[in-house]
Amino acid sequence: MKRILIDGNTFSTKEEFYTEMERLLTRNLEWKTGRNLDALADLLRGGFGFHEYGERLEAFWNNAEKSRNDLGEDFFDTVTQIMNDEDSCCELKLIDLKTVTYQEEYREGLFNFTERCFRELGKSFEPDGRHSFYRDIEGTFDSFWCMLCNSRIIGTAAIKKIDQSTAELKALYLDREFRGLGLGQKLMDTALSFAREKSYGRAVLDSMAQYTHALKLYEKSGFTRTERYNDNEKADIFMEKIL
């Protein structure tokens, strides 16, 4: 099943909405699709380069209330009905995404999220042991971000100081349900932008060779292999990026 993220912040008119849907659901077309509801229904059914005709599509609509106001309630409701219609092969979820700096009120949700991510990776989350730094987020990291979906933590990222010129990217995790939407990249961009603002010249990270999807994301973001820089016995991959 393919996934798309419709972000209400990227359009404010019907024409812009149709243009964004064309961008999301087509690949390498030499012509423009129609700017009407029938054409939208055709795009949702597939066959225009993004997903196959009849293939199920999962759509997440962020900032949906903004879109309702911008596009008009009647038009918005009609679009959501089309997207949820069985013939469209689409499942629509209205969401509210935001990335916030960690606060203590998020601790329980953060622990639950991190434990779930670790379990999926075949690891144990030990907040009273080797991961005790999670009990002192503010004292351990320069900054720690939580990505929230409808107030639930679905992703994290952090920056930790190594020395005056080097920052370490830490705790980059994303809920499985939200992968494939570019949200991991958004979290990384947030962290690296912060590191640049703090005048770090280099970012480093450690990982494991078995985490192939994460390594592809790091490489796509400009990280390259480097020498070991810490004593983490679990890690066998070390990467750096000049900021």
Side-chain angles (χ1 to χ4, degrees):
M1 179 187 295
K2 294 290 182 66
R3 293 172 171 174
I4 60 170
L5 177 65
I6 306 167
D7 191 343
N9 284 331
T10 63
F11 53 85
S12 57
T13 67
K14 293 178 183 178
E15 176 67 23
E16 291 171 347
F17 166 72
Y18 285 129
T19 298
E20 177 65 2
M21 294 304 292
E22 180 183 73
R23 184 188 71 82
L24 290 170
L25 295 172
T26 69
R27 295 293 184 270
N28 302 317
L29 291 186
E30 297 181 354
W31 42 273
K32 281 191 174 184
T33 59
R35 267 45 179 173
N36 56 69
L37 295 174
D38 288 338
L40 174 64
D42 287 340
L43 286 177
L44 292 169
R45 294 188 190 98
F48 294 88
F50 177 73
H51 63 307
E52 299 296 327
Y53 183 83
E55 180 182 358
R56 295 296 299 172
L57 178 71
E58 192 172 18
F60 297 81
W61 196 324
N62 186 35
N63 297 305
E65 281 305 307
K66 176 182 180 299
S67 296
R68 184 190 297 274
N69 292 331
D70 289 343
L71 304 177
E73 187 170 346
D74 289 344
F75 180 81
F76 179 85
D77 289 344
T78 300
V79 168
T80 56
Q81 289 172 10
I82 291 173
M83 296 184 75
N84 279 319
D85 187 272
E86 185 174 346
D87 289 341
S88 74
C89 303
C90 179
E91 178 184 352
L92 175 64
K93 298 179 180 179
L94 305 183
I95 61 175
D96 178 25
L97 285 175
K98 60 182 178 180
T99 302
V100 298
T101 303
Y102 174 81
Q103 300 176 31
E104 278 300 302
E105 65 187 83
Y106 299 140
R107 174 179 286 194
E108 182 178 356
L110 173 62
F111 278 29
N112 291 337
F113 167 76
T114 304
E115 193 279 330
R116 186 168 65 252
C117 289
F118 276 37
R119 187 171 61 249
E120 290 176 357
L121 295 171
K123 304 192 298 183
S124 297
F125 179 49
E126 303 172 17
D128 295 316
R130 62 188 302 264
H131 304 118
S132 59
F133 55 84
Y134 272 89
R135 295 194 178 277
D136 184 23
I137 295 291
E138 293 181 350
T140 301
F141 302 99
D142 276 15
S143 193
F144 192 106
W145 298 271
C146 297
M147 180 175 282
L148 308 179
C149 177
N150 303 337
S151 300
R152 176 170 66 92
I153 294 178
I154 64 162
T156 60
I159 286 292
K160 180 180 179 181
K161 180 179 179 179
I162 298 294
D163 56 41
Q164 288 299 116
S165 63
T166 305
E168 184 176 24
L169 179 66
K170 300 289 291 183
L172 184 62
Y173 298 108
L174 184 66
D175 192 301
R176 182 182 298 274
E177 180 184 359
F178 294 89
R179 294 172 192 169
L181 298 171
L183 298 181
Q185 186 69 61
K186 288 181 181 295
L187 281 166
M188 179 179 290
D189 290 346
T190 296
L192 295 181
S193 293
F194 172 86
R196 291 189 189 96
E197 291 172 2
K198 292 297 183 180
S199 299
Y200 288 112
R202 182 176 73 128
V204 296
L205 62 85
D206 64 15
S207 188
M208 299 174 66
Q210 68 195 64
Y211 301 151
T212 55
H213 290 295
L215 294 177
K216 288 180 181 178
L217 174 61
Y218 301 147
E219 291 170 352
K220 179 182 177 182
S221 299
F223 280 87
T224 57
R225 304 294 175 94
T226 189
E227 297 179 353
R228 174 182 287 274
Y229 64 87
N230 62 27
D231 58 359
N232 181 1
E233 296 179 354
K234 302 289 186 179
D236 56 8
I237 299 289
F238 299 87
M239 307 184 79
E240 68 173 354
K241 174 182 173 67
I242 304 301
L243 298 176

